[in-house]
Amino acid sequence: MSADEPAPERNPERGPEPSGVDLARVALRAAREQARARGDAVQQKKQARRGGGLRSGARADGRDPMALGAAINRLLTERGWEAPAAVGGVMGRWPQIVGEDLAKHCLPEKYDEDERTLIVRCDSTAWATNLRLLAPALVARLNEDLGHGTVRLIKVLGPGGPVRRYGPLRAPGSTGPGDTYG
């Protein structure tokens, strides 16, 4: 720098100018990236000359076939389906989790992932009441198996009523046999 030239101004918003060591690191990083790019280009040209395209070799790479279990686990992880798949496994093991007596009368129907709610239908109102009393302990047991917070609530549904048939003999305003169900 000569005496006539003013000193470079520092911008207070950007902070201090990089020092010599920092500039050397930046230059080294850029040189490495350029070398890597040149190496990739050379490798692609060699493969094209050898007969075009990629070939399978003796070493494992990303193109090799995968075992079915590993492929399914990878798909579940990539899509974020771990919790629904785990709850699906619980539905298959329902009798072992809740016991044979309860499993005969109460079956899981659906898992709502957004609300983290397991919906269970019982075949009578007495079993529905029993399951409602056991729900907190069952939620704790399910979260122990599946991971904390997977199931927040068990929604217990009573038995479904018979199919309502509408016809000419139906009394206006009547709710029909649905009165006694639920």
Side-chain angles (χ1 to χ4, degrees):
M1 197 184 299
S2 69
D4 297 336
E5 293 180 18
E9 292 183 26
R10 292 188 180 197
N11 189 347
E13 294 175 8
R14 289 180 43 202
E17 294 290 325
S19 67
V21 174
D22 294 332
L23 289 174
R25 285 185 184 142
V26 170
L28 179 62
R29 187 178 309 127
R32 284 181 178 164
E33 289 173 6
Q34 289 174 355
R36 187 176 299 123
R38 281 193 306 267
D40 290 344
V42 169
Q43 185 68 20
Q44 288 174 355
K45 285 181 185 178
K46 284 182 182 178
Q47 287 177 348
R49 272 186 263 145
R50 278 190 266 160
L54 301 170
R55 296 181 185 209
S56 180
R59 288 183 224 114
D61 63 6
R63 297 170 291 143
D64 289 340
M66 296 177 75
L68 181 61
I72 289 173
N73 288 338
R74 183 171 144 195
L75 178 68
L76 290 175
T77 303
E78 287 174 356
R79 303 285 171 116
W81 294 340
E82 292 100 347
V87 172
V90 164
M91 290 183 180
R93 298 178 302 151
W94 186 250
Q96 290 86 16
I97 293 172
V98 299
E100 294 294 328
D101 290 338
L102 196 59
K104 288 178 186 175
H105 300 283
C106 303
L107 295 173
E109 278 190 353
K110 183 174 128 181
Y111 175 69
D112 185 0
E113 186 179 0
D114 296 331
E115 296 179 14
R116 296 183 179 174
T117 303
L118 181 64
I119 299 171
V120 180
R121 182 166 304 275
C122 298
D123 62 2
S124 72
T125 54
W127 281 104
T129 303
N130 189 19
L131 186 62
R132 283 186 190 104
L133 293 172
L134 295 173
L138 190 56
V139 167
R141 169 85 164 95
L142 290 170
N143 284 330
E144 192 177 293
D145 280 356
L146 303 174
H148 182 67
T150 304
V151 178
R152 289 187 190 161
L153 177 70
I154 293 179
K155 186 174 181 180
V156 181
L157 303 176
V163 178
R164 295 186 182 176
R165 300 178 194 257
Y166 298 99
L169 299 178
R170 184 173 179 275
S174 168
T175 56
D179 290 345
T180 59
Y181 290 91

